[in-house]
Amino acid sequence: MNKKYALAVSLFSIMGLAVADEGMWTIDNFPADRVAEKYDVEIDDGWLRSSQLATVRLENGCTGSFASPDGLVLTNNHCIWGCIRNLSSAERNLSDEGFMAASREQELSCPGQQVSVLIDLDDVTGKVTAATRALDDAEANEARKAALTDLETECEEAADGELKCEAVSLYNGGQYFIYKYKRYDDVRLVFAPEVDIAAFGGDPDNFNFPRWCLDMSFLRAYEDGKPASTPNYLRWRQGGPRLSEPVFISGHPGSTDRLLTMTQLKMQRDVVLPLWLLRNSELRGRMLAWQNTSEEAARTVQQRIAGLENAIKVRRNQLKALQNDSMLAMKDKQERELRAAVAADPDLSAAYGDAWTLIEDAVDTHRNFYEDHLFIENAAAFNSELFNYARTIVRGTAERERPNNERIRAYTDAALPQVEQNLSAKRPIDKEYETLSLTFSLEKMREWLGPDSKYVHAILGKESPEGLAARLVSGSQLEDPDFRTALWDGGVDAVKASEDPMIRLALDIDPEARALRQQFENDVEAPLTRGEEMIADARFQIYGSDTYPDATFTLRITYGAVEGWEEKGELVDPFTRTSRLFERTTGQRPFMLPDSWTAAREALEPDTPFNFVATTDITGGNSGSPIVAADGNLVGLAFDGNIHSIAGDYWFDPATNRTVGVDTAIMLEALKTVYGADHLVKELTVVD
Amino acid sequence: MNKKYALAVSLFSIMGLAVADEGMWTIDNFPADRVAEKYDVEIDDGWLRSSQLATVRLENGCTGSFASPDGLVLTNNHCIWGCIRNLSSAERNLSDEGFMAASREQELSCPGQQVSVLIDLDDVTGKVTAATRALDDAEANEARKAALTDLETECEEAADGELKCEAVSLYNGGQYFIYKYKRYDDVRLVFAPEVDIAAFGGDPDNFNFPRWCLDMSFLRAYEDGKPASTPNYLRWRQGGPRLSEPVFISGHPGSTDRLLTMTQLKMQRDVVLPLWLLRNSELRGRMLAWQNTSEEAARTVQQRIAGLENAIKVRRNQLKALQNDSMLAMKDKQERELRAAVAADPDLSAAYGDAWTLIEDAVDTHRNFYEDHLFIENAAAFNSELFNYARTIVRGTAERERPNNERIRAYTDAALPQVEQNLSAKRPIDKEYETLSLTFSLEKMREWLGPDSKYVHAILGKESPEGLAARLVSGSQLEDPDFRTALWDGGVDAVKASEDPMIRLALDIDPEARALRQQFENDVEAPLTRGEEMIADARFQIYGSDTYPDATFTLRITYGAVEGWEEKGELVDPFTRTSRLFERTTGQRPFMLPDSWTAAREALEPDTPFNFVATTDITGGNSGSPIVAADGNLVGLAFDGNIHSIAGDYWFDPATNRTVGVDTAIMLEALKTVYGADHLVKELTVVD
């Protein structure tokens, strides 16, 4: 790797050159030497491999870890709210009541839930680069996708169906990999505490610390109807982590934006985030008011509200981060220095000098049809689970007819099993809520595209958003998995013949939606991808490879230590204790304890550590990640970051960015003392 | 006036130097010569005086004009939604049904409605400057307010109670005036069309053009129980304005921000607007969902929703304007040029050079307690009419005890009559809606200040926002005007003895709220005022006085012509016609016509001009303003701007900024043909 520029640029912090505990490191590039130097602990390949095989990805966007040899998966409570909602009914609210299977026979299947373990990975950068050489941007974009689809198919065929293969772009296209997963698609609910203790403090305390959340749950992976055998699991340390102890988090951070250019950051700040926040703040208001109309309504939206409020808090603080002029100036300086380094060398300049202009033009182009693309192709106009089914069926049946490597990548042969599992999964749909949310999104479409937009005319005609939504939702049969499967199996002809109004809408709008998709791919994605690849290559040339890529919902390891931080001149203690939980209770949600905890108050040890913070670098998708000590033992469960961690989307501030985790000590004590879960305690603490 | 810098700076457009039809001109500084040169029409002092005396200010934030010698006031329908709501009931929805008094006896008194006519104005700049000389910022700030209060009192005493006197700061403190008004506080509803034609197109069409809104209504000012005699009224031109005809708008634009510094604009962009928009988008969602719970709920919030949606559209587009990097760069350039001109002259530099730093520091200080001040002192935590009454009673009774010129200026002797009229006015209060909106605002307080804020602890204690709101609203008697008046008359002792829970809350939080107010006045308002005065003086010195101040809800005249604009390469016709209204109808709100219009379709002349646009420079507060031809005749009624007009808060873009008005032709035709309002037509078209 060419490092001739290293000295000239060594003064500024770029991803991977940071001195602090920054970095969501790929498994093949973990900076063990740096960790050894800073923390005096050795992380060898065996350690990393064990950690990798004990970590699972929840395909709905979280992480978990094996906690016993029998497929027991520890993850957050908030990671399985979808499952909990799907298993609840008007008679039985598992969110409020919690759930514990007294035996394995009582474990409840989570509809559509999948977990995966990363087994292996192949660097295919050379193959992808070869496939796109000498093509123009739009052609290269298509050729790249075709190559990735082919590589996935080859991989799955070579594995004889035993592995799921997924192409991954790292460093914004600087590297391409095929990641190989073992996937479990029979996943059952074992244990979930009541939401009032899992999410104690609710939205007000979300991203806050000090904190008292038992945000844990257990699932179990099954194979062939039996608990999966998972010899690579994490041993439970009963005492939790020590102050200042080095800790490691393996998991699947969803996405970060640390490599974005200034142009792209401003697009986020000025267009993407404000539009998202305005729309979703209104939706939040509609849900909050609607939940008061009936108990059933409250149950239907309870978790959706929590999820939405979380997302709003994230984006609101992302926006705040991007409004921080001094941080933005720092990013600007870094960008100008990189550009100057490129410009100073004729070869680099010739190869990469145009990258920033390319991206600027692509972003300008995107701005001009951002709303059209968002509402019509990205379906922001159709905030409806029934529409999602309809779009999947309409698109999927059509795409299936095409050669595998020419399809939209969501419908390749490698992707179809998951699509089909989703279509056939039985999930309750509340039609009143569906109507509310579809009405909302159609109204927002009309608001943002304008009543005279051709898309608005095509979709609404002379109907009101409310009238159209009511007609579509009440007329559609798509809530029935058999109906969906029949259409899917019937293919294009069955779809075209269908009189289901939601299918008709998805069909009718599809040509225009696809045109917007094509426009986006050719005029935005293609030049952006090339520009980003150029910058990634320039970075490697100038800064070397001792760096980490933006998060991509693939396996990463981050390291750090259990340490507080300074907030407005006060040092924040990194641990909270059980006693304070009871003092903080008001008796009113979200500061209300479930009866089980009130009853157990005297029996609980007041000094037991509850939640704690660490300097590790994580983000959304890491929820449910194991927090592991250098000895390989599980000491905590990541479930959140502090408020400063949200700016981590754009930059890592070692002084303030903290992970928030549940201590293994309180998890074990709660299982024993509050829930009487002796069978789980035994499974967790078995000595092999 | 020192113009020695005029040549050096003549190339850039600053307020008042613009070549286009920019400018909200004060009545004493109208650029008649410029108008004569551009439009070849003569506007003399008599013309201006007649226009002034025919224009009224609606004290709830709008403009109107006398349309007959008998006190008839023409204004917008949307300007009197409060009156319409107050006069409606479950049995009779005047918003949906419209209203027409068949005779003067049937005219309905609008609770609390006041209209005022500007009679005269005095320049008191010298007196105010003398009162604040040699004081530090905080002292000067208090001395200035005391001086303004004294000047108002002197003026009212001199007028023997016949006039209302109000101090006005123009050019951000560059000038001070006492404006003298004749006030009418018996105002009655004469005519209002159905909301479906008044606001045809609703929120989707708001700020759009082409447009079809009959956004008109008539009130009547009464004196001594009889229609007021108003010899200065505008004559109605039956044919409306001609294409390219010069037109003039007199009215009361509420506020603009064209003189803000870059620091202040960024505070708007990064703090004020996002926070407002996020909160109110959520409130919008809550109202939209709640209105579906009953017919009564729908009636209660119908107009509030429209008002809120309007405000959201305004602020969303203000934010968009401030995210326009090139416009902001233009503002930045203007600011740097002014600062350079100040710096280049030792005298100016000594007098004004520190102004921008002063403002920067004040804004930084403000940012640090912006949310506390907003929620607690500015009552964003208490979104409740009952709380507003409580705050007024608690504050007002305490302030009354102090010497007049030491009071908060909302409670000076000059201000008290309006305070008292508001307290005694009978207005219906929907307690369910009160609870909803108070719950919302308490939740937002907790969200933005955090659950550990001392204010949040003081207000909520161990109650939930919902529980507290329900207790306060159900327990308070403040919806009863007699109860309010009794407390008001009882004074501080009665207030302290009151067990009304809303009064208790207002009392309990008052010390902390006042402390925040004092902090704001001393640390933000005082230095800001001095900095702004310095900049205003520097501007006068450098650019001369041929300029106009930011809008302050005081009388202004703007001029322009009936002209379309170019939108994405297409020329927009400045007139719409009746025929297209019927084609645009969908039968669904907000594109649904009332029955009266559907029935009259054949009888209406399809080519009658409906709405039109002009290049005049207006903003919120100008709603209801008369649009007058050079011959002094009324040709239209301003009710909106196009979407580009919203950026007019920060700068005037002559290429795209347009006023939208209702044509006098369609107003007259509708009165005749749709409403059979022959008595009104006769009153409007009487020849004297």
Side-chain angles (χ1 to χ4, degrees):
Chain A
M1 202 56 75
N2 183 340
K3 290 209 179 190
K4 64 179 170 175
Y5 299 92
L7 273 178
V9 297
S10 66
L11 289 177
F12 44 92
S13 157
I14 293 284
M15 280 167 79
L17 296 179
V19 290
D21 300 344
E22 171 176 349
M24 302 172 179
W25 301 90
T26 52
I27 203 82
D28 59 326
N29 193 32
F30 187 75
D33 47 349
R34 208 183 292 179
V35 173
E37 192 182 330
K38 180 160 184 186
Y39 290 110
D40 194 24
V41 293
E42 198 190 334
I43 301 301
D44 61 17
D45 286 351
W47 193 105
L48 290 168
R49 179 76 184 164
S50 295
S51 162
Q52 170 189 334
L53 294 175
T55 306
V56 305
R57 186 168 80 174
L58 273 64
E59 295 303 326
N60 57 324
C62 278
T63 299
S65 61
F66 288 125
S68 89
D70 296 334
L72 193 68
V73 172
L74 172 68
T75 186
N76 292 145
N77 184 264
H78 79 259
C79 286
I80 61 157
W81 282 352
C83 169
I84 289 175
R85 187 174 60 236
N86 289 330
L87 294 175
S88 293
S89 64
E91 292 71 41
R92 190 177 187 196
N93 183 337
L94 297 187
S95 175
D96 284 356
E97 299 165 18
F99 174 79
M100 183 168 64
S103 66
R104 294 192 183 169
E105 289 68 39
Q106 290 184 14
E107 294 173 0
L108 300 175
S109 180
C110 286
Q113 183 80 53
Q114 298 178 320
V115 304
S116 311
V117 179
L118 178 64
I119 303 298
D120 205 359
L121 40 86
D122 289 342
D123 187 340
V124 295
T125 310
K127 292 180 186 174
V128 176
T129 311
T132 60
R133 194 160 290 143
L135 300 178
D136 75 23
D137 289 349
E139 291 166 351
N141 199 34
E142 289 190 7
R144 185 182 307 109
K145 292 180 185 184
L148 296 176
T149 298
D150 288 339
L151 287 163
E152 285 172 348
T153 306
E154 280 166 29
C155 167
E156 296 202 354
E157 283 171 3
D160 217 10
E162 294 295 307
L163 298 175
K164 289 304 304 173
C165 298
E166 285 183 14
V168 177
S169 160
L170 299 175
Y171 302 97
N172 286 357
Q175 294 179 351
Y176 289 93
F177 274 83
I178 294 291
Y179 274 46
K180 305 175 190 176
Y181 296 92
K182 176 169 176 61
R183 182 160 295 170
Y184 299 90
D185 53 17
D186 180 355
V187 179
R188 305 188 191 173
L189 179 61
V190 175
F191 170 78
E194 308 90 334
V195 69
D196 285 325
I197 185 64
F200 184 78
D203 182 63
D205 263 2
N206 192 16
F207 288 105
N208 275 6
F209 191 86
R211 191 76 166 279
W212 296 263
C213 289
L214 191 78
D215 193 355
M216 68 176 295
S217 63
F218 288 113
L219 302 173
R220 193 184 303 278
Y222 277 72
E223 272 190 306
D224 304 326
K226 288 198 283 287
S229 170
T230 50
N232 289 286
Y233 68 95
L234 297 171
R235 273 65 177 176
W236 195 281
R237 186 197 286 175
Q238 307 199 11
R242 293 180 298 276
L243 178 65
S244 303
E245 182 174 4
V247 290
F248 304 82
I249 297 181
S250 64
H252 295 86
S255 78
T256 52
D257 290 316
R258 296 184 190 169
L259 290 174
L260 292 190
T261 66
M262 287 299 289
T263 311
Q264 290 172 300
L265 289 175
K266 286 183 180 165
M267 172 84 178
Q268 291 292 315
R269 183 192 69 186
D270 296 343
V271 180
V272 179
L273 289 170
L275 175 45
W276 190 95
L277 279 164
L278 291 189
R279 282 191 300 127
N280 286 283
S281 294
E282 183 184 329
L283 179 58
R284 176 189 193 180
R286 294 193 189 214
M287 286 161 75
L288 286 168
W290 182 71
Q291 73 171 347
N292 292 331
T293 59
S294 75
E295 272 186 41
E296 187 57 14
R299 196 180 62 76
T300 298
V301 289
Q302 182 179 29
Q303 294 148 331
R304 284 195 180 91
I305 287 172
L308 185 63
E309 288 182 336
N310 176 67
I312 286 173
K313 211 171 211 183
V314 168
R315 282 173 180 75
R316 164 157 98 66
N317 282 283
Q318 287 177 335
L319 182 61
K320 192 175 168 189
L322 292 180
Q323 285 164 340
N324 181 331
D325 281 349
S326 62
M327 291 306 278
L328 224 59
M330 185 270 289
K331 290 292 270 192
D332 191 41
K333 182 164 172 280
Q334 289 175 358
E335 180 168 308
R336 279 185 286 108
E337 284 169 331
L338 177 61
R339 293 180 73 162
V342 167
D345 178 282
D347 290 349
L348 294 182
S349 178
Y352 310 125
D354 293 341
W356 289 269
T357 321
L358 200 62
I359 289 174
E360 217 169 290
D361 291 347
V363 169
D364 275 353
T365 303
H366 192 195
R367 270 196 194 217
N368 286 334
F369 72 108
Y370 177 76
E371 286 87 356
D372 286 346
H373 181 255
L374 173 72
F375 279 98
I376 305 305
E377 168 58 13
N378 282 357
F382 314 109
N383 208 337
S384 152
E385 294 182 38
L386 297 175
F387 180 85
N388 292 345
Y389 287 132
R391 166 73 62 92
T392 299
I393 290 167
V394 166
R395 282 266 167 100
T397 50
E399 290 293 308
R400 269 190 326 199
E401 312 251 300
R402 310 177 66 190
N404 188 38
N405 69 7
E406 291 177 18
R407 295 181 201 160
I408 294 177
R409 282 186 34 77
Y411 303 102
T412 61
D413 287 339
L416 284 182
Q418 199 174 354
V419 170
E420 289 169 0
Q421 187 178 353
N422 271 324
L423 284 177
S424 63
K426 190 169 157 67
R427 295 193 185 88
I429 286 189
D430 184 307
K431 288 207 161 190
E432 195 179 335
Y433 176 71
E434 274 279 300
T435 309
L436 176 148
S437 75
L438 182 56
T439 300
F440 158 77
S441 61
L442 291 168
E443 283 178 11
K444 292 307 102 178
M445 169 192 74
R446 185 175 65 185
E447 177 174 338
W448 288 86
L449 307 190
D452 297 313
S453 148
K454 68 173 179 176
Y455 304 108
V456 175
H457 276 292
I459 291 163
L460 290 183
K462 292 228 162 191
E463 287 183 285
S464 68
E466 205 173 357
L468 175 59
R471 181 171 67 77
L472 294 175
V473 172
S474 67
S476 177
Q477 294 175 262
L478 285 166
E479 82 273 20
D480 175 2
D482 295 337
F483 182 80
R484 297 193 296 263
T485 306
L487 277 172
W488 179 258
D489 294 342
V492 169
D493 291 342
V495 169
K496 284 198 178 140
S498 172
E499 289 176 8
D500 189 275
M502 199 68 89
I503 291 283
R504 299 284 357 141
L505 171 65
L507 256 183
D508 290 347
I509 202 66
D510 206 49
E512 286 183 310
R514 281 179 180 266
L516 285 164
R517 182 185 186 89
Q518 198 62 51
Q519 190 184 352
F520 178 80
E521 288 183 346
N522 291 354
D523 301 345
V524 182
E525 186 182 74
L528 269 187
T529 306
R530 184 160 68 93
E532 289 175 347
E533 280 180 6
M534 286 159 72
I535 292 176
D537 286 346
R539 277 179 186 281
F540 285 137
Q541 301 257 332
I542 295 170
Y543 303 130
S545 65
D546 188 12
T547 176
Y548 65 95
D550 261 324
T552 50
F553 200 38
T554 53
L555 191 68
R556 304 297 175 87
I557 301 203
T558 173
Y559 64 93
V562 177
E563 300 286 2
W565 77 99
E566 202 180 291
E567 186 75 46
K568 292 179 184 160
E570 305 273 314
L571 202 69
V572 179
D573 187 329
F575 289 100
T576 62
R577 314 253 162 207
T578 301
S579 53
R580 186 84 188 88
L581 164 70
F582 289 99
E583 292 156 24
R584 196 171 172 78
T585 303
T586 66
Q588 305 295 330
R589 278 189 167 171
F591 297 98
M592 181 178 84
L593 283 175
D595 294 342
S596 62
W597 278 75
T598 307
R601 178 167 186 170
E602 295 307 316
L604 285 162
E605 171 58 50
D607 286 337
T608 305
F610 213 104
N611 291 163
F612 66 93
V613 291
T615 61
T616 36
D617 182 7
I618 67 167
T619 191
N622 271 115
S623 278
S625 288
I627 306 180
V628 182
D631 61 13
N633 288 336
L634 186 81
V635 295
L637 171 62
F639 73 96
D640 204 2
N642 67 355
I643 197 75
H644 309 293
S645 72
I646 297 175
D649 197 37
Y650 307 111
W651 44 73
F652 184 83
D653 180 356
T656 60
N657 188 327
R658 292 294 177 273
T659 296
V660 183
V662 192
D663 201 295
T664 46
I666 190 62
M667 287 193 276
L668 204 67
E669 191 177 349
L671 287 171
K672 280 182 198 166
T673 308
V674 180
Y675 299 105
D678 297 336
H679 59 303
L680 287 174
V681 171
K682 190 172 162 200
E683 182 172 356
L684 291 172
T685 53
V686 67
V687 179
D688 54 354
Chain B
M1 202 54 76
N2 183 339
K3 289 207 178 189
K4 64 180 169 174
Y5 298 92
L7 273 177
V9 296
S10 66
L11 288 177
F12 45 91
S13 156
I14 294 282
M15 279 166 79
L17 296 179
V19 290
D21 300 343
E22 172 176 349
M24 301 172 179
W25 300 90
T26 51
I27 203 82
D28 60 326
N29 194 30
F30 187 75
D33 47 350
R34 208 183 293 179
V35 173
E37 192 180 333
K38 180 159 182 186
Y39 290 111
D40 196 24
V41 293
E42 198 189 337
I43 301 301
D44 61 17
D45 287 349
W47 193 104
L48 290 168
R49 180 78 185 162
S50 296
S51 162
Q52 170 189 334
L53 294 174
T55 306
V56 306
R57 185 168 82 173
L58 275 62
E59 295 303 326
N60 56 324
C62 277
T63 298
S65 60
F66 287 125
S68 89
D70 296 333
L72 193 68
V73 172
L74 172 67
T75 186
N76 292 145
N77 183 265
H78 79 260
C79 287
I80 61 158
W81 282 353
C83 169
I84 289 176
R85 186 173 63 236
N86 290 330
L87 294 175
S88 292
S89 63
E91 292 71 43
R92 190 177 187 196
N93 184 336
L94 297 186
S95 176
D96 283 357
E97 298 164 18
F99 174 79
M100 184 168 64
S103 67
R104 294 192 182 169
E105 290 67 40
Q106 292 183 13
E107 294 172 358
L108 299 176
S109 179
C110 286
Q113 183 82 54
Q114 298 178 319
V115 305
S116 311
V117 179
L118 177 66
I119 303 299
D120 205 359
L121 40 88
D122 288 343
D123 187 340
V124 295
T125 311
K127 293 179 185 173
V128 176
T129 311
T132 61
R133 196 162 289 144
L135 300 178
D136 74 25
D137 288 351
E139 291 166 351
N141 198 35
E142 289 189 7
R144 185 183 304 110
K145 291 180 185 184
L148 296 176
T149 297
D150 288 339
L151 287 164
E152 286 173 347
T153 307
E154 282 166 30
C155 168
E156 295 202 356
E157 283 170 3
D160 216 10
E162 295 295 307
L163 297 176
K164 289 303 304 172
C165 298
E166 285 181 15
V168 178
S169 159
L170 299 175
Y171 302 97
N172 287 355
Q175 294 180 352
Y176 290 93
F177 274 83
I178 296 289
Y179 274 46
K180 307 176 190 175
Y181 296 92
K182 177 171 175 61
R183 183 162 294 169
Y184 300 90
D185 53 18
D186 179 358
V187 180
R188 305 187 192 176
L189 178 61
V190 176
F191 170 78
E194 308 90 335
V195 68
D196 285 324
I197 185 65
F200 183 78
D203 181 63
D205 263 2
N206 191 16
F207 288 105
N208 275 6
F209 191 86
R211 190 76 166 280
W212 295 263
C213 290
L214 191 79
D215 191 356
M216 68 176 295
S217 63
F218 287 112
L219 302 173
R220 193 182 305 277
Y222 277 70
E223 272 191 306
D224 304 325
K226 288 198 284 286
S229 169
T230 50
N232 289 287
Y233 68 94
L234 297 171
R235 274 65 177 173
W236 196 281
R237 187 197 285 175
Q238 308 201 9
R242 293 179 299 276
L243 179 64
S244 303
E245 181 173 4
V247 289
F248 304 81
I249 297 181
S250 64
H252 295 86
S255 79
T256 52
D257 290 316
R258 295 184 191 170
L259 290 173
L260 292 190
T261 65
M262 286 300 289
T263 310
Q264 292 172 299
L265 289 175
K266 285 181 180 167
M267 172 84 178
Q268 292 291 317
R269 183 192 68 185
D270 296 343
V271 179
V272 179
L273 289 171
L275 176 45
W276 190 96
L277 279 165
L278 291 190
R279 283 190 301 127
N280 286 284
S281 294
E282 184 184 328
L283 179 58
R284 176 190 193 180
R286 294 192 189 214
M287 288 161 72
L288 286 168
W290 182 70
Q291 73 171 345
N292 292 330
T293 59
S294 74
E295 270 187 42
E296 186 58 14
R299 195 181 61 76
T300 298
V301 289
Q302 180 179 31
Q303 293 147 331
R304 285 195 181 89
I305 288 172
L308 185 63
E309 287 182 335
N310 177 65
I312 286 173
K313 210 171 211 182
V314 168
R315 283 171 180 77
R316 166 158 96 67
N317 282 283
Q318 286 177 335
L319 182 61
K320 192 174 168 190
L322 292 180
Q323 286 164 338
N324 181 332
D325 281 349
S326 62
M327 290 307 277
L328 223 59
M330 184 272 286
K331 290 291 269 193
D332 190 42
K333 182 163 173 279
Q334 290 175 358
E335 182 168 307
R336 280 185 286 107
E337 285 169 331
L338 177 61
R339 293 180 74 161
V342 168
D345 179 281
D347 290 348
L348 294 182
S349 179
Y352 311 125
D354 293 339
W356 289 269
T357 322
L358 201 62
I359 290 174
E360 217 168 289
D361 291 346
V363 169
D364 274 353
T365 303
H366 192 195
R367 270 196 195 217
N368 286 334
F369 72 108
Y370 177 77
E371 286 88 354
D372 286 346
H373 181 255
L374 173 72
F375 280 99
I376 306 304
E377 168 58 15
N378 281 356
F382 314 110
N383 209 337
S384 151
E385 292 181 41
L386 296 175
F387 180 85
N388 293 345
Y389 286 132
R391 167 74 60 92
T392 300
I393 290 167
V394 166
R395 284 266 166 100
T397 50
E399 290 293 310
R400 268 190 328 197
E401 311 251 300
R402 311 176 65 189
N404 188 38
N405 69 7
E406 292 177 18
R407 296 182 201 160
I408 293 175
R409 283 186 33 76
Y411 303 102
T412 61
D413 287 339
L416 284 181
Q418 198 173 354
V419 171
E420 289 168 0
Q421 188 178 354
N422 270 325
L423 284 177
S424 62
K426 191 171 157 66
R427 295 192 185 90
I429 287 192
D430 183 306
K431 288 208 161 191
E432 194 179 336
Y433 175 72
E434 275 279 302
T435 308
L436 177 148
S437 75
L438 182 55
T439 300
F440 158 77
S441 61
L442 291 169
E443 284 179 9
K444 292 307 102 178
M445 169 192 73
R446 185 175 66 184
E447 176 174 338
W448 288 86
L449 307 190
D452 298 313
S453 149
K454 67 173 180 176
Y455 304 108
V456 175
H457 277 292
I459 291 163
L460 290 182
K462 293 227 163 193
E463 287 184 283
S464 68
E466 204 173 356
L468 176 60
R471 180 171 68 78
L472 294 175
V473 172
S474 67
S476 178
Q477 294 175 263
L478 286 166
E479 81 274 20
D480 174 2
D482 295 338
F483 182 80
R484 297 194 295 262
T485 306
L487 277 172
W488 180 258
D489 293 343
V492 169
D493 292 339
V495 169
K496 283 197 179 140
S498 172
E499 290 176 8
D500 189 276
M502 200 67 90
I503 291 283
R504 299 289 350 146
L505 171 67
L507 256 182
D508 290 347
I509 202 66
D510 207 49
E512 287 181 309
R514 280 180 180 267
L516 285 164
R517 182 185 186 88
Q518 198 61 53
Q519 188 182 355
F520 178 80
E521 287 183 347
N522 290 353
D523 301 346
V524 182
E525 186 182 73
L528 270 188
T529 306
R530 185 162 66 94
E532 288 174 349
E533 280 180 7
M534 287 160 73
I535 293 176
D537 286 346
R539 278 180 186 282
F540 285 136
Q541 300 259 331
I542 295 169
Y543 304 131
S545 64
D546 187 11
T547 176
Y548 65 95
D550 261 324
T552 50
F553 200 39
T554 53
L555 192 67
R556 305 297 176 87
I557 301 203
T558 173
Y559 63 92
V562 177
E563 301 286 0
W565 77 98
E566 202 179 292
E567 185 75 46
K568 292 179 184 161
E570 304 274 314
L571 202 68
V572 178
D573 187 329
F575 290 100
T576 62
R577 315 253 163 208
T578 301
S579 54
R580 185 85 188 86
L581 164 70
F582 290 98
E583 293 157 24
R584 195 170 172 79
T585 303
T586 66
Q588 305 294 330
R589 278 189 166 171
F591 296 98
M592 180 178 85
L593 283 176
D595 293 343
S596 62
W597 279 75
T598 308
R601 179 169 186 168
E602 295 308 316
L604 285 161
E605 171 57 50
D607 286 337
T608 304
F610 213 105
N611 292 164
F612 66 94
V613 291
T615 62
T616 36
D617 182 7
I618 68 169
T619 192
N622 270 115
S623 278
S625 289
I627 306 179
V628 182
D631 61 14
N633 289 336
L634 184 82
V635 295
L637 171 62
F639 74 97
D640 204 3
N642 67 355
I643 197 73
H644 309 293
S645 72
I646 297 175
D649 196 38
Y650 307 110
W651 44 72
F652 184 84
D653 180 356
T656 60
N657 188 328
R658 293 293 178 272
T659 296
V660 183
V662 192
D663 201 295
T664 47
I666 189 62
M667 288 193 276
L668 204 66
E669 189 175 350
L671 287 170
K672 280 183 197 165
T673 308
V674 181
Y675 300 105
D678 296 336
H679 58 304
L680 287 174
V681 171
K682 191 173 159 199
E683 183 173 355
L684 291 171
T685 52
V686 67
V687 179
D688 55 350

